[in-house]
Amino acid sequence: LFEAFNDLVVKKAVDNFPITNEVVEVDPHRLTMAAGTDNLIENFFKHVDNEVAKVINNRPLPVVVCTEERNYHHYEKVTALHDYIVGHLSRNRDDEEARLIAHDSWPVVREKLKESRQLCIEDLRKALSSGNVMSDLNDISRAINEGRGRTLFVKNGLYKPGVILEGRIEIVEEVSDQVRADILDELITGSINHGGEVVFVDNKALDEFDGVALLTRY
């Protein structure tokens, strides 16, 4: 198990991995039965899944499983992490370098993120009529600090220089020593710290919101 950012490896050894299958079956009759072998494989994968879950509890990132098709079928049967597993790279990759696996995994993750972001945009549009969508930066800031922010949407590459005066955000034209280069960082950090989600959008879906929108919990 290793961690990657896009297609680059950032951490090669994660916690208790790699894990060796040390389960031994002493009954020769069971070893000749396909069901017995399958049970051994799936019991091992349950153990692996429990260790992956411990990592995800601290770092809730999407997971790509790299293994032969038959193993992936067994793992799917026992995993409790269906919400985090975003794809599968077939064939045995035990002898491949982590950087090559990351390179092949990134298109799988990117496509899944694209689908997820599209669903989030659809949720945003559905919520417009309910009054649970904000686009004013000060309204957004207040809702986030009150713990009401569910999903903060930010156009990818957008930044807004600004200052906070008497608790209010003011956008300015030029950056100076008194001006923050990107006041949106304040909103992004606040959303994460209050348990909200942040979604960066590449297309023009946020143009009508001037590039920033907040979907509130209520």
Side-chain angles (χ1 to χ4, degrees):
L1 184 68
F2 61 87
E3 182 179 336
F5 178 76
N6 293 352
D7 60 349
L8 300 176
V9 176
V10 296
K11 191 175 182 182
K12 286 188 178 180
V14 177
D15 294 352
N16 296 328
F17 291 85
I19 300 173
T20 301
N21 188 355
E22 297 178 344
V23 177
V24 178
E25 176 58 67
V26 295
D27 184 340
H29 176 64
R30 284 179 57 82
L31 285 175
T32 61
M33 299 171 59
T37 305
D38 287 351
N39 285 337
L40 287 176
I41 294 171
E42 289 172 12
N43 284 337
F44 171 63
F45 284 159
K46 285 180 184 178
H47 173 56
V48 172
D49 198 55
N50 288 335
E51 294 301 319
V52 176
K54 292 176 185 177
V55 177
I56 285 180
N57 283 338
N58 295 319
R59 295 280 288 156
L61 299 174
V63 176
V64 175
V65 179
C66 307
T67 187
E68 296 169 346
E69 194 71 38
R70 184 168 179 271
N71 279 339
Y72 185 62
H73 172 71
H74 285 304
Y75 186 69
E76 274 196 312
K77 286 174 62 178
V78 301
T79 182
L81 304 173
H82 291 288
D83 291 342
Y84 291 94
I85 297 174
V86 298
H88 166 226
L89 288 181
S90 189
R91 80 176 185 267
N92 188 324
R93 293 175 178 254
D94 289 348
D95 297 325
E96 284 193 14
E97 295 181 30
R99 65 181 181 83
L100 297 177
I101 297 175
H103 178 270
D104 289 348
S105 296
W106 172 233
V108 177
V109 178
R110 184 174 55 199
E111 186 60 29
K112 192 68 177 181
L113 289 174
K114 182 179 178 181
E115 295 173 10
S116 177
R117 286 169 180 166
Q118 185 57 43
L119 290 175
C120 288
I121 291 295
E122 291 175 10
D123 285 345
L124 178 66
R125 298 206 171 279
K126 290 177 183 176
L128 278 173
S129 60
S130 66
N132 289 351
V133 177
M134 299 176 177
S135 58
D136 178 81
L137 295 184
N138 283 291
D139 290 343
I140 290 174
S141 178
R142 185 163 48 252
I144 286 174
N145 290 328
E146 292 172 355
R148 295 190 291 116
R150 174 182 159 191
T151 307
L152 176 67
F153 296 86
V154 180
K155 186 172 183 177
N156 215 4
L158 177 70
Y159 71 94
K160 290 179 180 286
V163 294
I164 299 178
L165 299 174
E166 297 182 355
R168 287 188 57 81
I169 295 174
E170 300 287 345
I171 301 301
V172 297
E173 294 291 333
E174 298 180 1
V175 178
S176 66
D177 291 342
Q178 291 76 38
V179 174
R180 303 187 190 192
D182 187 10
I183 203 71
L184 299 182
D185 281 343
E186 185 89 10
L187 302 180
I188 292 168
T189 302
S191 180
I192 293 171
N193 289 342
H194 285 83
E197 183 182 12
V198 179
V199 174
F200 294 95
V201 180
D202 291 321
N203 55 32
K204 297 181 179 181
L206 293 178
D207 285 0
E208 63 184 283
F209 303 101
D210 198 23
V212 186
L214 179 71
L215 177 59
T216 62
R217 303 182 197 275
Y218 53 85

